[in-house]
Amino acid sequence: MKSRTVTLNNVCKSFVDDSGSAFQAVTDVNLHIEAGEFVTLLGPSGCGKTTTLRMVAGFESISTGDIYFGDDNVRNLQPNKRDCTMVFQSYALFPHMSVYDNVAYGLRLKKMPATAIREKVNQTFDIMNLGAYQDRMPGQLSGGQQQRVALARALVMEPSVLLFDEPLSNLDAKLRLTMRDEIRRIQKAVGITAIYVTHDQSEAMSMSDKVVVMNKGRIEQVGTPTEVYQRPATRFVADFIGVANFLQAEVADTDSESVQLRLGEALVKMPSDGSFESGRQVTLVARPEAIGLTRPTAAGSGNLLPGLVQRSAFMGQVQDYWVDIGDNEIQVTVSNPRAHEPFQPGDKVLVDLHGDSLHWVQG
């Protein structure tokens, strides 16, 4: 199956509300997607991710900017001329047609010979493991099976770009886990370029080659799942993806390799990126699972800070603690809690802010 690059250049979308006032839903989106990449547009409701996807599909007009599939500017092309297909949240299957007829529908509209249709549909059924269901009606299928049929109907058209609009939101939690693995497996197998919209962080992190985090119509960061989690570009990204502790600190000293930060009465050391100046105020990001917690049996050194446990929660695989350090309350996640005697509210502890795991953000 062929695939193409997708490029958005300065794409904007304005709407006019009922009062006649214009508002900007998408602002200056610039994005390049390599052929065969799986890219997720991630963000809260109203951030512009679905509007961006619909502009790529041609279902929404572009106010300004251009969209390219390969070298072709598709801005003024109708959806059926864009060489892309969409998998919808609602499945959008024809209830009066069998699974086979639903998948074959688009090929029949193209007036392909019946033998060619049968060959292509059967090839797609083999990829999707749907052959046993081809004579069933959509109402006889589970939600996960219907979603696979919707994906098969999109793939059989052999588009160069495949679009997903929150396709798993109608499924229960366990089935979502299965289906996201299935979608990723199929995308890799056929090598198609995929753009996927979701507000679910776990979907984005587990499925994507690249994550595009959006907020208020703008792109906040583009990167691999590891990059956006471990090195968030802004406070919004750090706060939206996973759990983050934010600590206000002041640069006390710096050299070419490291920087010392004053956090209350304590000094914390972390690697320097060369952008620090003495006296500068910075916001540190510390992920709960990257913070150590020990009992104060010996004098601390380095990034060990005295803390006081306020509360805890046993979560099965992990134990979460909320600990006061100075004027800050932070969350700490300890894995395999059975291996440690649990801390109790009121316990004094030493908090280890691992310098290599700290990151600073703007905003």
Side-chain angles (χ1 to χ4, degrees), residues 1-2 79-85 101 103-114 116-117 120 153-160:
M1 187 173 290
K2 63 186 182 299
N80 63 332
K81 303 294 184 182
R82 291 199 180 196
D83 196 19
C84 67
T85 55
D101 289 336
V103 175
Y105 181 77
L107 300 177
R108 287 171 175 157
L109 285 182
K110 295 174 71 172
K111 301 190 183 302
M112 288 184 63
I117 291 174
K120 284 185 177 295
R153 185 177 59 185
L155 284 173
V156 79
M157 302 302 293
E158 297 186 339
S160 60

Side-chain angles (χ1 to χ4, degrees), residues 65-78:
D66 296 287
I67 296 176
Y68 292 86
F69 287 4
D71 295 327
D72 300 326
N73 192 336
V74 300
R75 172 177 175 170
N76 296 318
L77 293 182
Q78 294 298 312

Side-chain angles (χ1 to χ4, degrees), residues 313-320 333-340:
F314 177 70
M315 306 300 291
Q317 293 178 325
V318 300
Q319 183 101 21
D320 285 330
T333 298
V334 176
S335 61
N336 190 17
R338 289 188 63 182
H340 313 276

Side-chain angles (χ1 to χ4, degrees), residues 12-175:
C12 300
K13 177 62 180 180
S14 298
F15 290 102
V16 178
D17 61 23
D18 294 338
S19 67
S21 300
F23 69 95
Q24 197 87 341
V26 174
T27 304
D28 294 331
V29 166
N30 290 279
L31 179 65
H32 179 73
I33 299 169
E34 295 291 347
E37 268 193 318
F38 193 112
V39 174
T40 297
L41 306 182
L42 174 67
S45 298
C47 72
K49 58 188 185 295
T50 297
T51 300
T52 300
L53 188 78
R54 289 176 61 81
M55 286 191 287
V56 173
F59 299 146
E60 292 285 356
S61 61
I62 301 171
S63 299
T64 59
D66 296 287
I67 296 176
Y68 292 86
F69 287 4
D71 295 327
D72 300 326
N73 192 336
V74 300
R75 172 177 175 170
N76 296 318
L77 293 182
Q78 294 298 312
N80 63 332
K81 303 294 184 182
R82 291 199 180 196
D83 196 19
C84 67
T85 55
M86 177 91 82
V87 179
F88 295 95
Q89 175 181 338
S90 60
Y91 316 143
L93 300 178
F94 297 113
H96 61 288
M97 292 184 182
S98 68
V99 166
Y100 180 91
D101 289 336
N102 264 281
V103 175
Y105 181 77
L107 300 177
R108 287 171 175 157
L109 285 182
K110 295 174 71 172
K111 301 190 183 302
M112 288 184 63
T115 53
I117 291 174
R118 170 67 65 178
E119 181 179 357
K120 284 185 177 295
V121 172
N122 286 338
Q123 288 175 350
T124 305
F125 281 165
D126 288 341
I127 295 172
M128 302 293 300
N129 298 321
L130 280 171
Y133 305 100
Q134 60 181 308
D135 295 326
R136 295 191 187 183
M137 306 301 282
Q140 298 173 306
L141 303 178
S142 68
Q145 291 165 343
Q146 289 185 56
Q147 190 56 272
R148 285 163 61 196
V149 174
L151 180 54
R153 185 177 59 185
L155 284 173
V156 79
M157 302 302 293
E158 297 186 339
S160 60
V161 180
L162 186 58
L163 309 177
F164 295 89
D165 184 13
E166 304 206 42
L168 306 183
S169 59
N170 289 334
L171 305 180
D172 62 58
K174 188 173 182 178
L175 188 54

Side-chain angles (χ1 to χ4, degrees), residues 189-303:
V190 300
I192 194 170
T193 305
I195 307 176
Y196 189 101
V197 161
T198 185
H199 61 274
D200 188 304
Q201 303 166 32
S202 60
E203 280 183 22
M205 301 294 278
S206 64
M207 300 174 72
S208 310
D209 295 310
K210 203 156 55 182
V211 178
V212 181
V213 185
M214 297 187 67
N215 181 35
K216 298 180 180 178
R218 297 180 181 272
I219 292 177
E220 294 260 342
Q221 186 173 0
V222 179
T224 65
T226 300
E227 288 169 345
V228 297
Y229 185 81
Q230 296 183 350
R231 295 289 181 264
T234 65
R235 183 176 180 127
F236 172 83
V237 175
D239 196 31
F240 185 75
I241 296 179
V243 178
N245 297 298
F246 296 102
L247 304 169
Q248 296 304 125
E250 179 183 316
V251 178
D253 193 18
T254 184
D255 57 37
S256 59
E257 295 182 355
S258 64
V259 58
Q260 280 195 329
L261 299 164
R262 190 175 304 282
L263 187 63
E265 299 299 320
L267 288 176
V268 173
K269 189 176 183 179
M270 64 179 286
S272 174
D273 62 3
S275 64
F276 294 98
E277 299 176 356
S278 293
R280 178 178 178 180
Q281 299 292 321
V282 297
T283 300
L284 296 181
V285 177
R287 297 292 187 184
E289 71 279 2
I291 302 173
L293 213 56
T294 59
R295 298 188 183 278
T297 55
S301 61
N303 287 355

